[in-house]
Amino acid sequence: MKLNKFFFGLLTIPALALTACSDYGDVDTFSPEADAEATGAFFSKSTSSNTLVPGKTSFEVVLNRAVSGSAASIPVTVTKNDKDFFSLSASSFSFDAESQTSAPITVSFDETACTFQEPDTLSLQVLGGEKDHIYAAGYASTTVFMVVDYQWVDFLQVMLTNTYVSDEASLTTVQIAKNFETEAEPATQKQTLLQVPGLVGDANVQFVVDANHANPAEIGTYFTDNGIALKVRTELGTGMTLTLSDEAKTELPVFMDVTNLAASDVSASKAAYTITYDLYAKDEKTGKTYKVEKDAETVEEGKSSYTATFTAEFPTEEKEPQTTE
């Protein structure tokens, strides 16, 4: 009897399964549809960056849309404008019929309000910050970081002695600005822009040398002499801090200031450079400065002076072989 009940149970399972399938076999699940009025406008990235050479005072931004259709205009709102110096060429992104990418809007800015190598921020928004199309990619808001700088190339391997760090030389890379161009004529007067990255902490030192690799001058001096109204920080943040010898153990930011640049042993292919700089911690409230010294047991008011020296060997331009007729 038990055996018969067992086989009967096996026979009833497929029947139940068929009954279950018949209850739901005709049900279809449809994907939700987008609103017929949806534009599907979006920025392809939530953040982006633009690096512009000094003298260039504008860049472009575009908007995309999920569906192509008739011509459209999508208003744009500025939600953040550093120093209030960005201006847009239009208040809306314009789409041609069947186009999914808008005509660009030109973003212009006041160069006199910029600081060399210091980013400024512009934030834009469409559709109130909320995408109106469920299948639209990207973002309804975007933030653009803009900085005025050159393209730096790791070019010169040098042995650098930095008295703040050590009395012994260490291998360091000095960079050259690849897209730094001077319009001086004749061509023999063309200058070179060098950068010593991270000389102390995060502080980068830039200076221009002439065609003979001599007469180093800070980048700020070069801008002034060439009519570029771009500010250059002379007080360079290092990202370091100094703890005062007080009960509160106050930590102050450390700054660096280049006080002198000099060239020696200059030749057609190389030159030696000496960078003299002050290193100090600064109390922003009182304006007092404090010496930054390697082995000092106490902190004294004032500034510490250090030097960095290195010899750079410059690449020589290869001349095209002369042909004789």
Side-chain angles (χ1 to χ4, degrees):
M1 183 61 109
K2 291 181 180 179
L3 188 60
N4 291 339
K5 286 183 178 180
F6 175 74
F7 279 108
F8 179 77
L10 290 177
L11 292 172
T12 57
I13 290 174
L16 291 173
L18 289 171
T19 304
C21 289
S22 64
D23 288 343
Y24 301 97
D26 296 332
V27 175
D28 291 325
T29 301
F30 294 98
S31 299
E33 293 184 358
D35 189 322
E37 300 299 321
T39 60
F42 65 92
F43 296 102
S44 60
K45 297 180 180 179
S46 60
T47 60
S48 59
S49 59
N50 282 282
T51 301
L52 306 176
V53 295
K56 186 174 181 181
T57 57
S58 67
F59 57 92
E60 295 180 338
V61 291
V62 298
L63 190 68
N64 303 289
R65 61 177 176 175
V67 292
S68 58
S70 58
S73 181
I74 310 298
V76 60
T77 301
V78 177
T79 57
K80 179 178 175 61
N81 186 351
D82 272 6
K83 305 171 191 168
D84 198 32
F85 71 89
F86 289 106
S87 61
L88 276 62
S89 62
S91 58
S92 299
F93 287 99
S94 298
F95 289 88
D96 291 335
E98 304 303 323
S99 176
Q100 290 183 274
T101 302
S102 75
I105 285 181
T106 300
V107 180
S108 302
F109 58 91
D110 179 6
E111 190 174 51
T112 62
C114 296
T115 302
F116 183 59
Q117 292 188 328
E118 185 174 286
D120 290 297
T121 306
L122 172 69
S123 294
L124 304 175
Q125 185 183 91
V126 294
L127 308 175
E130 297 290 337
K131 290 191 292 184
D132 65 353
H133 195 295
I134 57 176
Y135 300 119
Y139 308 86
S141 301
T142 190
T143 297
V144 181
F145 299 100
M146 187 280 298
V147 65
V148 180
D149 198 0
Y150 292 101
Q151 180 182 354
W152 299 95
V153 180
D154 292 341
F155 212 88
L156 306 175
Q157 298 292 318
V158 305
M159 296 301 294
L160 181 142
T161 301
N162 187 348
T163 57
Y164 169 69
V165 178
S166 172
D167 292 331
E168 297 182 0
S170 59
L171 185 64
T172 304
T173 299
V174 173
Q175 299 172 319
I176 292 181
K178 182 178 180 181
N179 52 348
F180 175 77
E181 296 181 358
T182 58
E183 298 179 354
E185 293 292 345
T188 54
Q189 297 303 309
K190 188 171 183 178
Q191 297 168 297
T192 302
L193 175 58
L194 303 177
Q195 174 171 266
V196 184
L199 186 61
V200 178
D202 299 331
N204 302 329
V205 176
Q206 305 89 16
F207 59 94
V208 180
V209 295
D210 62 22
N212 298 316
H213 311 133
N215 299 313
E218 288 190 78
I219 185 66
T221 302
Y222 171 83
F223 286 157
T224 301
D225 292 346
N226 288 273
I228 298 176
L230 186 66
K231 292 180 289 185
V232 177
R233 290 169 293 183
T234 55
E235 188 176 65
L236 304 175
T238 66
M240 299 163 43
T241 58
L242 177 71
T243 303
L244 293 186
S245 305
D246 58 7
E247 292 183 0
K249 299 296 181 182
T250 305
E251 287 193 352
L252 300 177
V254 173
F255 296 95
M256 173 184 171
D257 184 14
V258 175
T259 57
N260 190 57
L261 293 166
S264 59
D265 298 329
V266 176
S267 70
S269 61
K270 67 179 182 178
Y273 299 105
T274 300
I275 304 170
T276 306
Y277 62 91
D278 285 341
L279 201 59
Y280 53 92
K282 185 175 182 181
D283 189 329
E284 301 287 356
K285 294 181 180 178
T286 64
K288 291 182 178 179
T289 60
Y290 298 87
K291 294 181 179 180
V292 177
E293 298 180 326
K294 291 181 290 185
D295 302 317
E297 295 183 0
T298 59
V299 177
E300 299 180 3
E301 288 189 35
K303 298 180 179 181
S304 303
S305 181
Y306 297 98
T307 59
T309 58
F310 64 92
T311 297
E313 293 189 9
F314 293 87
T316 56
E317 294 185 5
E318 295 183 5
K319 296 182 179 181
E320 293 183 4
Q322 298 292 323
T323 59
T324 56
E325 299 193 9

